Amino acid sequence: MYDGAGNLIWDNVFQFSGGSYESVVWAKYASSADRVHELGRAREALKRQTKPEMRYVGFISSTAGKIRGVRTAAGHSFSVCHKPDEGAWHAGICYRPSGGRFARLNRGEKNELKLALRLIFGALVPCSSP
């Protein structure tokens, strides 16, 4: 998402709104920027059926290694797993609490992880075509 000046609105990135994971595109199966944009535009068309204001503007990149390397002082981190239910390109970033899979993170711990996640992603690769 963007504000009127074209700046990425980080509050709308990495929301984990489904609760369990954040969807991402795995470059192994979508190796060009054009392919990622194609997937983004298809996602926009699907989401606009229920959220007409949804707009795909581009993507930001990182690596699974960097994502898995995020670790808070309390030892919380992320896992990255292949989730081909939506397509071979689909992967998910999941919270990985230090206490194991049944441990719960509080809001502050989740926010600390989200901030760390933002710091390991690159600049926006904008989508120029509608």
Side-chain angles (χ1 to χ4, degrees):
M1 301 249 332
Y2 271 86
D3 64 13
N7 297 310
L8 189 64
I9 302 172
W10 279 104
D11 292 342
N12 293 311
V13 179
F14 305 126
Q15 289 299 301
F16 293 84
S17 55
S20 60
Y21 66 91
E22 184 73 19
S23 291
V24 293
V25 172
W26 188 0
K28 177 179 178 179
Y29 297 101
S31 58
S32 71
D34 287 340
R35 178 65 177 135
V36 176
H37 289 318
E38 180 183 312
L39 292 166
R41 288 189 301 271
R43 175 87 171 140
E44 175 190 51
L46 182 65
K47 291 294 280 184
R48 289 187 74 187
Q49 293 174 13
T50 56
K51 293 179 85 177
E53 70 281 1
M54 193 316 192
R55 298 288 183 271
Y56 172 75
V57 296
F59 65 89
I60 53 178
S61 294
S62 190
T63 65
K66 286 181 182 179
I67 295 165
R68 289 183 181 118
V70 168
R71 190 157 323 280
T72 66
H76 305 306
S77 60
F78 291 104
S79 64
V80 180
C81 53
H82 194 200
K83 294 190 168 290
D85 53 309
E86 290 186 30
W89 55 268
H90 189 229
I93 301 172
C94 305
Y95 292 123
R96 188 170 168 214
S98 64
R101 95 179 208 194
F102 296 110
R104 298 276 184 230
L105 297 171
N106 66 38
R107 185 178 183 158
E109 291 167 327
K110 288 178 182 178
N111 286 337
E112 183 179 8
L113 281 166
K114 287 180 198 178
L115 176 59
L117 196 58
R118 292 177 184 179
L119 299 175
I120 60 165
F121 274 77
L124 180 78
V125 178
C127 180
S128 57
S129 61

